[in-house]
Structure formats: structure tokens, C-alpha cells
Amino acid sequence: MVSMTQRRRSAVSAFTLSGLILAAIAGQPAVAQSAASAKSAPRIKPQPSVSDWDIGAPSTSPGTAAPTPPASVQGLPPAAEDADPSSTAQPVVQAVPVLEPVLDWSVADANALLSVIQGIKSEGLFAKDYRPDALKAAIASGAGDGLNQVASKSFAWLIEDLRDGRTPMTARVQWFAVDPDQDQMPTAQIMADALAAHDVAGVVNRLAPTHPDYAVLKQALASTPEAQAATKSLIRANMDRWRWLKHDLGDVYLITNVPEFQLRLTVKNRIVRTYKTVVGKPGRTATPQLAETVSAVVFNPTWTVPQSIVKGEGLGAKVIGSPGWARANGYKGVKNADGSITVVQQPGKNNALGLMKIDMPNPHAIYLHDTPSKQYFNSEVRAFSHGCIRTERAVELGMTMAILGAQMPPDQAADMSRAGVYQKVAMTRTFPVYITYMTMARSIDGQLKKFADIYDRDKPVLASFAAPREAKTTQRASDEPIIQLDNPL
């Protein structure tokens, strides 16, 4: 059982951490951009003033008040109390080849492009992909339609790979994180700006991922001997994975690297707190890669038990047939008109979600949550869950999110966490969450390390780098079937 002393420690830690974060982000750009900004050049929308983040100010957000407990707490469980109600997934459309723009090129700009292509290996890419021989021949023929066609195609391919990654979408296993960069930084605009400024070389620096790990990997690539071909290939693959994400991840965000079993609360790309995680077991319950947004923090959550357990494992029949056992174990069940049974586990220390859940709506029903099974955090390899991410010191994290994301006074956040009843705090600030998969990255101690490929996802990426470059299509995420993994056990 979580003691009052432990709860107080979590409250103090959350309050202190929130103060550090507020100091770091004061006067800096906002985490999220408006929808309108997505159509323009990639500029970050100015963030509200520091007073808007003042954790001491009274909150006017309805999300910070204690809401009415859900029906499941009052006695009648809803069909899907803890299922995420909405999805951030893009509509499924037929992928078609991307059409590259054709602009007018001078011989000088084409020569600058040729120089960039010849040195592109420093970015973990291959010069041959961008047809340097064809470009040389077109330059030799002088300005005109021939040069325009060849240079535009070579530069467009280079922009696409630097911005979105070289790896074809078909090789990105379970990668459902939709990268908005091609909307915010369209190829035609990048090309036009580079030619207008006669600064083709500057595009490379502007498109490189801003996360510090990319620069660390780039340095490692340069310092690794050619004889260590496998290591260099792994570095390239993981540099590319950073390109699969948004160019700028934001000022304040949560990011977890699944093979590392760690979650980071990050401010301006600096780690301010880390939490051990337990992720999905390999196979059908492997944790997918997502880029989502926190919608709410739930203290003392309920858990609507999946039918795979209610029906498949006989829990429903046991709850209905043994009300005393159900009450003692925190379950409430209802037999529906169609004969099915809905079972909801009530708030408490034995709830499968623990004492805190972070809602991040997505079609996979993946979220971050506490757990009563703290012993698994002591294991070195922590792939035990059914897909969701169990988080160490989750109550502390939840209070921090409530303070920062809903402008909730620290005392109120602490009171909610220990009230013992369902409390949902809606976010009024944007908190991105990135669930990534990096097999070479900096660990939480800042050292570049290799991590075990627990889901065997390196192989298709490495194979794609060993093959000729594939033309880009409009596909934005994996087209693998979505498996709802709403099961914290």
C-alpha cells in the first residue's frame, strides 16, 4: 500500500520539478504550433508569457476541478470507461508516388547541389542515391530544361530523405508516428527558398533533426572506422529514425525509447526527470511507435477489463456469480441485454492501472500508467506488458503533468492523487508524447549505447539501406493492422 509519507514525497518532488520546468521554459516558444502554422514555413508559435504557466495562480480551467466520478465508480460501469475515445491517426488512403517540383536552376546553384551530394555521407546518406553523374552531365550542358529537370529531381529526393527519412514506410515496422514535416516544410517551398537565396548547402543544416542525439550519432558515424561496417550501418539506421519524427519535438515533451525501458520528461531537449518503464512483450503485444498528445491525467483510474479476459478467461462469470469475491477484489460487473458482461475494476491500490493514468488518445489504446506490480521495475529487461507503458513513480509524474498541463495548484494535485476516487484532469497545455524505438542512442546517463533489438525491427531498416533508394509515396505511417492493446496486465 502507498503510504501517506510516499504520497507527500511525490507531491514535493512534483512541485519542485514543476518549478524547475517553469524556469526553463519562461519566455520560450510554445510546445505546439497552431493548425495555421502547419501550412507555412516551420516557425514555432510564440508561447504564452510565464504568467500563463504560473503554478501559484488560481486555475480557471474546468479540467482542474474534481469531476463527477464516472458511472463505474457510482455503481453502473460504462462499456469502455478507460478506452481512449478518439484517434489521432491519419485517414487511410491509397498511397501514390510523390511528384517532385521542377524549378529553374542556374549552373552555380547546380554546382552547389553537386557539392552537397558529394559530401552527404556525413548525414548517413549515400551520394549515389541523388544521381551525381547525371547532374554533372546536365551541368556540362548548361542552363536549360535539362538541368532544371535533373537538378530538381536530385534536390527533391535529397530534401525528402533529409526531412522524412530514407527508409521506405514499408520497412518501418509498427511505426504509426505521423511526421508533419512535409506539411510544414513542403519540398517546393524549401527548394524555392534555397534557390532564391542561392544557399542550397544551408538546407542540410535546416532539415537536420534538432534533438541532440542526432548530432551525437552523426559524430559517431564520422569517428567510426570504415572497417566497422555493421556499426556504421546501425548508426545510419538510427540517424534515420530521428528523421521519422517531427523536426522539432517541442519545448516540453515526454519521450520514451522502448528498447531502453526509460521515459524522459524533457524541457528544451534537456532531460529533467527519468522514469523506468515496462513495455509490451515481443509479438502481438509489442508496443507500437506513436507520436500523440496528452489529453488528461487520471488519478485513481478505473479499468474496463477487456473481453479477452472477461469472457476468454472467465472473469465475467466469476464476478457475476460471486459478488462477495468481486467486491473484495474491487470489481463491479453488469450483465448486458445481449448477454455479454462488462467488468470494471474500481480505483484502489490493486487496480491494474495503479493510481495514475495518462490519457493520450490513439487507436491502439496505448497509454502511460502506474502499476501495483512494482517488482518488474527491478528487472534489467522490462518487456512484460500487453502493450501499454507502465511507468515508475507514476503519481509524481501525474501530479507534475497536472500542475504544468492544467495549471493546477500543487496542493490540489496532491489532494486529488490521494483522494482514492476517480479524478480526471483535462490538459489545457499541449504535451506531446513520443514512443520511439532506437537501438543506438544516448542512455539516460548521456553515453551513446547500443540497445537490444527486442522486437527485431532493425533488420528491415538495415536491408532498405543496403538496397537502392525507393521513390517516396504519400504513405505516412505503417499500414499494418491496428491492434487495440487496452490491457495493462
Side-chain angles (χ1 to χ4, degrees):
M1 181 174 181
V2 179
S3 69
M4 187 64 70
T5 300
Q6 288 173 309
R7 293 288 186 90
R8 288 196 183 105
R9 286 174 180 167
S10 294
V12 170
S13 181
F15 177 77
T16 303
L17 179 58
S18 302
L20 292 172
I21 294 174
L22 291 173
I25 63 176
Q28 298 298 329
V31 173
Q33 297 181 349
S34 66
S37 69
K39 300 178 182 179
S40 61
R43 292 185 174 85
I44 305 299
K45 181 180 176 183
Q47 177 165 303
S49 66
V50 65
S51 61
D52 291 334
W53 286 88
D54 185 359
I55 58 176
S59 172
T60 57
S61 167
T64 61
T68 302
S72 60
V73 177
Q74 298 174 356
L76 180 63
E81 173 59 40
D82 286 307
D84 287 316
S86 61
S87 166
T88 58
Q90 298 294 313
V92 176
V93 295
Q94 184 66 39
V96 297
V98 169
L99 298 178
E100 286 83 11
V102 178
L103 300 183
D104 292 337
W105 284 76
S106 68
V107 170
D109 285 332
N111 274 312
L113 173 59
L114 182 61
S115 294
V116 170
I117 290 172
Q118 290 170 335
I120 203 62
K121 70 176 184 179
S122 65
E123 300 295 327
L125 299 173
F126 305 121
K128 63 183 179 181
D129 286 339
Y130 312 106
R131 310 187 310 163
D133 291 340
L135 183 57
K136 286 178 186 177
I139 290 171
S141 296
D145 289 343
L147 180 60
N148 296 341
Q149 292 285 340
V150 173
S152 292
K153 178 163 287 189
S154 292
F155 195 35
W157 288 359
L158 185 61
I159 291 170
E160 291 166 357
D161 290 356
L162 286 168
R163 181 191 60 205
D164 309 323
R166 182 188 186 277
T167 309
M169 199 60 65
T170 52
R172 305 181 190 186
V173 179
Q174 288 286 295
W175 190 276
F176 296 97
V178 176
D179 179 3
D181 290 343
Q182 60 185 273
D183 302 318
Q184 298 175 1
M185 300 183 287
T187 301
Q189 187 63 55
I190 293 172
M191 190 181 299
D193 290 347
L195 293 176
H198 303 293
D199 186 21
V200 172
V203 167
V204 176
N205 292 330
R206 288 197 294 273
L207 292 181
T210 60
H211 194 281
D213 273 25
Y214 182 83
V216 171
L217 286 165
K218 181 178 176 179
Q219 184 178 18
L221 182 66
S223 60
T224 301
E226 293 295 332
Q228 297 180 21
T231 298
K232 291 183 81 74
S233 293
L234 187 61
I235 294 172
R236 290 189 192 98
N238 283 283
M239 289 176 71
D240 211 49
R241 282 176 167 134
W242 283 110
R243 300 185 189 106
W244 305 354
L245 293 167
K246 189 177 180 182
H247 174 258
D248 185 345
L249 302 184
D251 275 353
V252 184
Y253 57 89
L254 295 170
I255 186 168
T256 182
N257 182 20
V258 169
E260 187 188 8
F261 312 110
Q262 291 283 349
L263 173 71
R264 295 161 169 82
L265 176 56
T266 306
V267 177
K268 297 190 71 63
N269 289 328
R270 183 174 64 86
I271 301 170
V272 296
R273 190 70 94 232
T274 63
Y275 306 86
K276 292 180 181 178
T277 61
V278 174
V279 302
K281 291 178 286 189
R284 187 177 183 276
T285 58
T287 301
Q289 277 49 77
L290 306 172
E292 306 296 343
T293 302
V294 176
S295 63
V297 172
V298 181
F299 293 109
N300 306 298
T302 59
W303 176 45
T304 300
V305 184
Q307 286 300 307
S308 60
I309 297 175
V310 173
K311 185 177 180 179
E313 299 182 18
L315 178 64
K318 187 171 186 178
V319 167
I320 296 298
S322 304
W325 176 89
R327 188 166 47 253
N329 288 276
Y331 291 107
K332 289 186 178 180
V334 168
K335 194 163 188 177
N336 304 309
D338 62 0
S340 64
I341 298 172
T342 299
V343 175
V344 176
Q345 189 179 28
Q346 302 305 295
K349 62 184 180 64
N350 293 322
N351 187 285
L353 299 177
L355 299 171
M356 193 281 299
K357 169 190 171 185
I358 292 179
D359 274 340
M360 37 182 278
N362 63 87
H364 309 264
I366 293 293
Y367 42 80
L368 310 175
H369 66 88
D370 188 22
T371 176
S373 303
K374 302 290 195 292
Q375 70 274 16
Y376 291 112
F377 292 122
N378 296 325
S379 299
E380 183 176 351
V381 177
R382 297 188 289 275
F384 301 117
S385 84
H386 280 67
C388 285
I389 299 175
R390 306 175 195 171
T391 306
E392 179 191 39
R393 306 193 322 278
V395 173
E396 171 196 312
L397 175 61
M399 285 190 288
T400 302
M401 299 294 290
I403 294 167
L404 293 175
Q407 304 179 64
M408 177 174 286
D411 288 346
Q412 185 180 356
D415 289 343
M416 274 195 174
S417 73
R418 56 178 172 248
V421 296
Y422 181 103
Q423 306 268 17
K424 188 170 186 175
V425 182
M427 295 290 99
T428 60
R429 300 291 178 187
T430 301
F431 270 90
V433 182
Y434 302 98
I435 301 177
T436 69
Y437 192 93
M438 307 287 177
T439 52
M440 182 175 284
R442 286 191 304 167
S443 64
I444 58 173
D445 62 8
Q447 301 301 309
L448 186 63
K449 293 182 179 178
K450 293 181 182 179
F451 297 102
D453 183 13
I454 59 173
Y455 297 158
D456 198 24
R457 291 182 180 168
D458 277 346
K459 188 175 180 179
V461 181
L462 295 171
S464 75
F465 267 77
R469 179 190 187 273
E470 292 187 18
K472 290 290 190 289
T473 72
T474 54
Q475 184 178 345
R476 303 290 291 273
S478 172
D479 59 3
E480 299 165 85
I482 291 175
I483 301 173
Q484 291 206 347
L485 299 172
D486 190 10
N487 185 348
L489 297 181

